[in-house]
Amino acid sequence: MTTSSTAAPALDLGPEPGLQAVLLDMDGTLVDTEDFWWQAEVSLFAELGHRLDEQDRAHVVGGPMTRVMEYLVARTGVDIAPSDLGVLVNQRFVDLLGGGVPLMPGAERLLNTLAAHGVPAALVSASHRHVIDIVLRSLGADRFAFTIGGDELPRTKPFPDPYLEAARRLGAEPARCVVVEDTPTGVRAGEAAGCPVIAVPSVAPIEPAPGRLVLPSLEQVDLELLRSLVASRVQGAATHWM
């Protein structure tokens, strides 16, 4: 099943007076694919005669494809256009996905909880549509109201556009939508959109900050916590304007 970015009417957000939706990243947050991306990049560059290290990994994790490929070309001096390199990395990554994608600990429980309580979930990823559709075979497209890919908007993460677009489609206020992310890039996007953010770091460390909760695993994320984050954000905004 393919879920595209085609505009849809606002959904019925159900009985939640505070929490209106949960907006979830994909790679490294719901599914354990960050190692797949890194493996694809490392193996390809090894064939091109260049060795990538952990410092490179910290630079590329969670980044949009264009920025990552530009960084790797500049870093290694490889004689290939970033756009062409992106095609090669994407194909290698897709090949690695062929055997299925493992879910992150707590991901299935969280998605089931949201569904059971009628809380809309949207998948908001920097990955391109064809990659999302492959991963959804393991993750389940029916778990989400819709999905947004990094190639479906003019600007993707770290810009707020993907999360603002997700809130718009839901007819929701960003302050009442909790973003769940695993990378600094994604966290910046969620915060720039005005959403409370839960960070569950996968590769690169993420420091706590106002409006941001850092947890070791999705297993610590439950409905009570999601509601409390929205309540704190909404109450804080009301106090600010008093």
Side-chain angles (χ1 to χ4, degrees), residues 110-227:
L110 174 58
L111 292 170
N112 288 342
T113 297
L114 297 177
H117 289 85
V119 180
L123 185 70
V124 183
S125 178
S127 288
H128 289 189
R129 168 55 50 193
H130 72 282
V131 171
I132 292 174
D133 288 341
I134 293 172
V135 172
L136 285 174
R137 298 172 192 166
S138 299
L139 193 54
D142 59 333
R143 297 179 183 272
F144 305 99
F146 54 82
T147 67
I148 296 176
D151 57 341
E152 295 173 335
L153 294 174
R155 302 192 307 179
T156 188
K157 307 172 190 179
F159 294 102
D161 305 34
Y163 286 117
L164 290 173
E165 172 65 12
R168 184 194 67 78
R169 289 192 204 177
L170 290 165
E173 301 172 39
R176 296 177 187 268
C177 298
V178 178
V179 164
V180 185
E181 276 280 358
D182 74 306
T183 67
T185 298
V187 166
R188 289 197 298 272
E191 291 175 343
C195 303
V197 174
I198 295 176
V200 184
S202 61
V203 178
I206 301 173
E207 297 298 323
R212 177 195 308 169
L213 177 64
V214 182
L215 297 174
S217 168
L218 290 179
E219 294 176 321
Q220 282 74 50
V221 181
D222 57 23
L223 196 58
E224 182 180 358
L225 175 62
L226 293 166
R227 287 170 169 164

Side-chain angles (χ1 to χ4, degrees), residues 3 12 15 18 20 32 72 83 87 113 122 206 240:
T3 52
D12 179 359
Q20 290 184 315
D32 192 6
L72 292 174
S83 58
V87 171
T113 297
I206 301 173
H240 175 75

Side-chain angles (χ1 to χ4, degrees), residues 33-47 52 57 89 92-93 96:
T33 53
E34 292 293 2
D35 282 345
F36 286 18
W37 280 113
W38 183 236
Q39 185 179 341
E41 290 157 354
V42 167
S43 63
L44 180 59
F45 272 86
E47 292 174 10
L52 302 181
R57 186 174 192 179
V89 170
R92 188 153 302 197
F93 176 74
L96 291 171

